[in-house]
mmCIF file of all heavy atoms in Angstrom:
data_model
loop_
_atom_site.group_PDB
_atom_site.id
_atom_site.type_symbol
_atom_site.label_atom_id
_atom_site.label_comp_id
_atom_site.label_asym_id
_atom_site.label_seq_id
_atom_site.Cartn_x
_atom_site.Cartn_y
_atom_site.Cartn_z
ATOM 1 N N ILE C 1149 0.153 31.936 18.451
ATOM 2 C CA ILE C 1149 1.255 31.414 19.275
ATOM 3 C C ILE C 1149 2.247 32.553 19.700
ATOM 4 O O ILE C 1149 3.362 32.362 20.038
ATOM 5 C CB ILE C 1149 2.087 30.351 18.614
ATOM 6 C CG1 ILE C 1149 2.645 30.863 17.283
ATOM 7 C CG2 ILE C 1149 1.209 29.036 18.383
ATOM 8 C CD1 ILE C 1149 3.613 29.889 16.513
ATOM 9 N N GLU C 1195 0.387 35.445 12.887
ATOM 10 C CA GLU C 1195 1.836 35.104 12.981
ATOM 11 C C GLU C 1195 2.554 35.709 11.702
ATOM 12 O O GLU C 1195 3.785 35.647 11.589
ATOM 13 C CB GLU C 1195 2.071 33.582 12.954
ATOM 14 C CG GLU C 1195 1.710 33.070 14.271
ATOM 15 C CD GLU C 1195 0.218 32.900 14.686
ATOM 16 O OE1 GLU C 1195 -0.544 32.965 13.682
ATOM 17 O OE2 GLU C 1195 -0.050 32.745 15.742
ATOM 18 N N LEU C 1199 6.693 42.485 14.015
ATOM 19 C CA LEU C 1199 6.343 42.598 15.466
ATOM 20 C C LEU C 1199 7.170 43.831 16.020
ATOM 21 O O LEU C 1199 8.187 44.183 15.484
ATOM 22 C CB LEU C 1199 6.813 41.343 16.165
ATOM 23 C CG LEU C 1199 6.064 40.130 15.833
ATOM 24 C CD1 LEU C 1199 6.668 38.953 16.676
ATOM 25 C CD2 LEU C 1199 4.565 40.148 16.180
ATOM 26 N N VAL C 1206 10.686 43.858 14.747
ATOM 27 C CA VAL C 1206 11.270 42.637 14.367
ATOM 28 C C VAL C 1206 10.553 42.156 13.032
ATOM 29 O O VAL C 1206 9.382 41.734 13.047
ATOM 30 C CB VAL C 1206 10.978 41.512 15.472
ATOM 31 C CG1 VAL C 1206 11.614 40.158 15.057
ATOM 32 C CG2 VAL C 1206 11.562 42.013 16.782
ATOM 33 N N PRO C 1207 11.124 42.260 11.883
ATOM 34 C CA PRO C 1207 10.487 42.060 10.699
ATOM 35 C C PRO C 1207 10.171 40.509 10.458
ATOM 36 O O PRO C 1207 10.963 39.643 10.914
ATOM 37 C CB PRO C 1207 11.536 42.409 9.596
ATOM 38 C CG PRO C 1207 12.574 43.287 10.268
ATOM 39 C CD PRO C 1207 12.566 42.747 11.703
ATOM 40 N N PHE C 1208 8.991 40.159 9.869
ATOM 41 C CA PHE C 1208 8.600 38.848 9.540
ATOM 42 C C PHE C 1208 9.679 38.156 8.603
ATOM 43 O O PHE C 1208 10.111 38.902 7.687
ATOM 44 C CB PHE C 1208 7.282 38.769 9.019
ATOM 45 C CG PHE C 1208 6.831 37.342 8.626
ATOM 46 C CD1 PHE C 1208 6.220 36.554 9.591
ATOM 47 C CD2 PHE C 1208 7.010 36.808 7.385
ATOM 48 C CE1 PHE C 1208 5.791 35.273 9.275
ATOM 49 C CE2 PHE C 1208 6.682 35.552 7.073
ATOM 50 C CZ PHE C 1208 6.130 34.743 8.070
ATOM 51 N N GLY C 1209 10.079 37.066 8.855
ATOM 52 C CA GLY C 1209 11.060 36.308 8.014
ATOM 53 C C GLY C 1209 12.544 36.502 8.509
ATOM 54 O O GLY C 1209 13.293 35.747 8.088
ATOM 55 N N SER C 1210 12.658 37.436 9.526
ATOM 56 C CA SER C 1210 13.965 37.492 9.998
ATOM 57 C C SER C 1210 14.335 36.341 11.025
ATOM 58 O O SER C 1210 13.314 35.775 11.517
ATOM 59 C CB SER C 1210 14.126 38.826 10.689
ATOM 60 O OG SER C 1210 13.271 38.883 11.896
ATOM 61 N N GLU C 1211 15.548 36.192 11.363
ATOM 62 C CA GLU C 1211 15.904 35.107 12.284
ATOM 63 C C GLU C 1211 15.212 35.365 13.638
ATOM 64 O O GLU C 1211 14.836 34.408 14.291
ATOM 65 C CB GLU C 1211 17.411 34.992 12.351
ATOM 66 C CG GLU C 1211 17.858 33.796 13.270
ATOM 67 C CD GLU C 1211 17.225 32.471 12.767
ATOM 68 O OE1 GLU C 1211 17.213 32.224 11.559
ATOM 69 O OE2 GLU C 1211 16.849 31.631 13.726
ATOM 70 N N ALA C 1212 15.205 36.667 14.062
ATOM 71 C CA ALA C 1212 14.625 37.046 15.305
ATOM 72 C C ALA C 1212 13.204 36.655 15.320
ATOM 73 O O ALA C 1212 12.697 36.127 16.317
ATOM 74 C CB ALA C 1212 14.954 38.422 15.655
ATOM 75 N N HIS C 1213 12.453 36.979 14.292
ATOM 76 C CA HIS C 1213 11.019 36.641 14.165
ATOM 77 C C HIS C 1213 10.801 35.107 14.156
ATOM 78 O O HIS C 1213 9.928 34.645 14.908
ATOM 79 C CB HIS C 1213 10.453 37.364 12.905
ATOM 80 C CG HIS C 1213 9.002 37.418 12.975
ATOM 81 N ND1 HIS C 1213 8.142 36.235 12.807
ATOM 82 C CD2 HIS C 1213 8.098 38.501 13.056
ATOM 83 C CE1 HIS C 1213 6.903 36.632 12.803
ATOM 84 N NE2 HIS C 1213 6.819 37.949 13.083
ATOM 85 N N ASP C 1214 11.663 34.433 13.399
ATOM 86 C CA ASP C 1214 11.489 32.932 13.354
ATOM 87 C C ASP C 1214 11.692 32.333 14.788
ATOM 88 O O ASP C 1214 11.108 31.440 15.078
ATOM 89 C CB ASP C 1214 12.631 32.324 12.416
ATOM 90 C CG ASP C 1214 12.272 32.550 10.994
ATOM 91 O OD1 ASP C 1214 11.166 33.081 10.644
ATOM 92 O OD2 ASP C 1214 13.138 32.226 10.095
ATOM 93 N N GLU C 1215 12.594 32.971 15.579
ATOM 94 C CA GLU C 1215 12.882 32.513 16.905
ATOM 95 C C GLU C 1215 11.584 32.627 17.738
ATOM 96 O O GLU C 1215 11.337 31.783 18.616
ATOM 97 C CB GLU C 1215 14.070 33.130 17.518
ATOM 98 C CG GLU C 1215 14.623 32.468 18.778
ATOM 99 C CD GLU C 1215 15.105 31.022 18.455
ATOM 100 O OE1 GLU C 1215 15.489 30.740 17.327
ATOM 101 O OE2 GLU C 1215 14.991 30.162 19.447
ATOM 102 N N VAL C 1216 10.925 33.721 17.580
ATOM 103 C CA VAL C 1216 9.682 34.015 18.304
ATOM 104 C C VAL C 1216 8.739 32.906 18.023
ATOM 105 O O VAL C 1216 7.973 32.254 18.876
ATOM 106 C CB VAL C 1216 9.111 35.388 18.026
ATOM 107 C CG1 VAL C 1216 7.634 35.509 18.610
ATOM 108 C CG2 VAL C 1216 9.952 36.453 18.560
ATOM 109 N N LEU C 1217 8.524 32.585 16.676
ATOM 110 C CA LEU C 1217 7.509 31.595 16.280
ATOM 111 C C LEU C 1217 7.985 30.184 16.736
ATOM 112 O O LEU C 1217 7.104 29.339 17.180
ATOM 113 C CB LEU C 1217 7.350 31.616 14.759
ATOM 114 C CG LEU C 1217 6.864 32.861 14.186
ATOM 115 C CD1 LEU C 1217 6.728 32.826 12.648
ATOM 116 C CD2 LEU C 1217 5.500 33.216 14.794
ATOM 117 N N ARG C 1218 9.306 29.836 16.647
ATOM 118 C CA ARG C 1218 9.781 28.508 17.130
ATOM 119 C C ARG C 1218 9.552 28.393 18.600
ATOM 120 O O ARG C 1218 9.100 27.355 19.054
ATOM 121 C CB ARG C 1218 11.228 28.349 16.850
ATOM 122 C CG ARG C 1218 11.621 28.178 15.361
ATOM 123 C CD ARG C 1218 13.094 27.678 15.229
ATOM 124 N NE ARG C 1218 13.473 27.615 13.855
ATOM 125 C CZ ARG C 1218 14.078 28.532 13.159
ATOM 126 N NH1 ARG C 1218 14.390 29.710 13.736
ATOM 127 N NH2 ARG C 1218 14.434 28.380 11.860
ATOM 128 N N ASN C 1219 9.795 29.457 19.402
ATOM 129 C CA ASN C 1219 9.506 29.355 20.721
ATOM 130 C C ASN C 1219 8.029 29.156 21.103
ATOM 131 O O ASN C 1219 7.629 28.397 21.967
ATOM 132 C CB ASN C 1219 10.011 30.691 21.473
ATOM 133 C CG ASN C 1219 11.523 30.737 21.610
ATOM 134 O OD1 ASN C 1219 12.124 29.860 21.477
ATOM 135 N ND2 ASN C 1219 12.028 31.965 21.687
ATOM 136 N N GLY C 1220 7.207 29.844 20.360
ATOM 137 C CA GLY C 1220 5.686 29.630 20.548
ATOM 138 C C GLY C 1220 5.323 28.108 20.211
ATOM 139 O O GLY C 1220 4.526 27.567 20.990
ATOM 140 N N LEU C 1221 5.834 27.595 19.154
ATOM 141 C CA LEU C 1221 5.549 26.188 18.800
ATOM 142 C C LEU C 1221 6.107 25.200 19.857
ATOM 143 O O LEU C 1221 5.493 24.214 20.234
ATOM 144 C CB LEU C 1221 6.110 25.872 17.425
ATOM 145 C CG LEU C 1221 5.270 26.600 16.295
ATOM 146 C CD1 LEU C 1221 6.049 26.423 15.038
ATOM 147 C CD2 LEU C 1221 3.834 25.945 16.102
ATOM 148 N N TRP C 1261 4.279 34.646 0.311
ATOM 149 C CA TRP C 1261 5.582 34.197 0.809
ATOM 150 C C TRP C 1261 5.562 34.109 2.332
ATOM 151 O O TRP C 1261 6.397 33.382 2.841
ATOM 152 C CB TRP C 1261 6.690 35.224 0.321
ATOM 153 C CG TRP C 1261 6.682 36.585 0.987
ATOM 154 C CD1 TRP C 1261 5.987 37.695 0.566
ATOM 155 C CD2 TRP C 1261 7.329 36.933 2.207
ATOM 156 N NE1 TRP C 1261 6.171 38.673 1.406
ATOM 157 C CE2 TRP C 1261 7.084 38.329 2.425
ATOM 158 C CE3 TRP C 1261 8.187 36.308 3.058
ATOM 159 C CZ2 TRP C 1261 7.554 39.025 3.460
ATOM 160 C CZ3 TRP C 1261 8.813 36.968 4.135
ATOM 161 C CH2 TRP C 1261 8.458 38.357 4.344
ATOM 162 N N ARG C 1262 4.781 34.925 2.946
ATOM 163 C CA ARG C 1262 4.646 34.944 4.456
ATOM 164 C C ARG C 1262 3.951 33.630 4.906
ATOM 165 O O ARG C 1262 4.552 32.978 5.834
ATOM 166 C CB ARG C 1262 3.795 36.117 4.931
ATOM 167 C CG ARG C 1262 4.471 37.493 4.602
ATOM 168 C CD ARG C 1262 3.573 38.584 5.051
ATOM 169 N NE ARG C 1262 4.127 39.912 4.859
ATOM 170 C CZ ARG C 1262 4.922 40.570 5.723
ATOM 171 N NH1 ARG C 1262 5.058 40.212 6.949
ATOM 172 N NH2 ARG C 1262 5.516 41.796 5.409
ATOM 173 N N HIS C 1265 6.469 30.769 4.305
ATOM 174 C CA HIS C 1265 7.494 30.692 5.309
ATOM 175 C C HIS C 1265 7.044 30.107 6.639
ATOM 176 O O HIS C 1265 7.715 29.391 7.307
ATOM 177 C CB HIS C 1265 8.102 32.071 5.498
ATOM 178 C CG HIS C 1265 9.305 32.163 6.442
ATOM 179 N ND1 HIS C 1265 10.505 31.550 6.029
ATOM 180 C CD2 HIS C 1265 9.488 32.662 7.670
ATOM 181 C CE1 HIS C 1265 11.444 31.737 7.112
ATOM 182 N NE2 HIS C 1265 10.828 32.355 8.074
ATOM 183 N N LEU C 1266 5.826 30.631 7.032
ATOM 184 C CA LEU C 1266 5.237 30.045 8.253
ATOM 185 C C LEU C 1266 5.019 28.565 8.226
ATOM 186 O O LEU C 1266 5.314 27.832 9.158
ATOM 187 C CB LEU C 1266 3.920 30.737 8.545
ATOM 188 C CG LEU C 1266 3.126 30.346 9.837
ATOM 189 C CD1 LEU C 1266 4.036 30.379 11.125
ATOM 190 C CD2 LEU C 1266 1.947 31.140 9.975
ATOM 191 N N GLU C 1268 6.845 26.487 6.489
ATOM 192 C CA GLU C 1268 8.131 25.806 6.604
ATOM 193 C C GLU C 1268 8.477 25.703 8.121
ATOM 194 O O GLU C 1268 9.078 24.603 8.459
ATOM 195 C CB GLU C 1268 9.232 26.673 5.907
ATOM 196 C CG GLU C 1268 9.008 26.689 4.280
ATOM 197 C CD GLU C 1268 10.079 27.703 3.712
ATOM 198 O OE1 GLU C 1268 10.738 28.319 4.425
ATOM 199 O OE2 GLU C 1268 10.062 27.766 2.463
ATOM 200 N N LEU C 1269 8.185 26.637 8.844
ATOM 201 C CA LEU C 1269 8.536 26.537 10.283
ATOM 202 C C LEU C 1269 7.643 25.464 10.952
ATOM 203 O O LEU C 1269 8.106 24.721 11.825
ATOM 204 C CB LEU C 1269 8.318 27.817 11.034
ATOM 205 C CG LEU C 1269 9.338 28.947 10.606
ATOM 206 C CD1 LEU C 1269 8.881 30.342 11.310
ATOM 207 C CD2 LEU C 1269 10.704 28.560 10.978
ATOM 208 N N GLU C 1272 9.088 22.167 10.027
ATOM 209 C CA GLU C 1272 10.365 22.005 10.696
ATOM 210 C C GLU C 1272 10.100 21.398 12.140
ATOM 211 O O GLU C 1272 10.706 20.506 12.623
ATOM 212 C CB GLU C 1272 11.102 23.285 10.854
ATOM 213 C CG GLU C 1272 12.361 23.231 11.689
ATOM 214 C CD GLU C 1272 12.918 24.656 11.767
ATOM 215 O OE1 GLU C 1272 13.148 25.336 10.811
ATOM 216 O OE2 GLU C 1272 13.048 25.007 13.023
ATOM 217 N N ILE C 1273 9.157 22.009 12.856
ATOM 218 C CA ILE C 1273 8.778 21.594 14.244
ATOM 219 C C ILE C 1273 8.185 20.133 14.151
ATOM 220 O O ILE C 1273 8.591 19.298 14.969
ATOM 221 C CB ILE C 1273 7.766 22.510 14.881
ATOM 222 C CG1 ILE C 1273 8.489 23.906 15.057
ATOM 223 C CG2 ILE C 1273 7.257 21.945 16.175
ATOM 224 C CD1 ILE C 1273 9.588 23.801 16.062
#
Side-chain angles (χ1 to χ4, degrees):
I1149 57 172
E1195 286 73 19
L1199 297 175
V1206 182
F1208 180 86
S1210 66
E1211 185 55 40
H1213 196 288
D1214 286 355
E1215 194 61 28
V1216 171
L1217 298 180
R1218 287 192 184 97
N1219 287 338
L1221 290 169
W1261 73 270
R1262 294 177 181 264
H1265 184 69
L1266 178 55
E1268 290 174 0
L1269 293 176
E1272 174 189 306
I1273 293 295

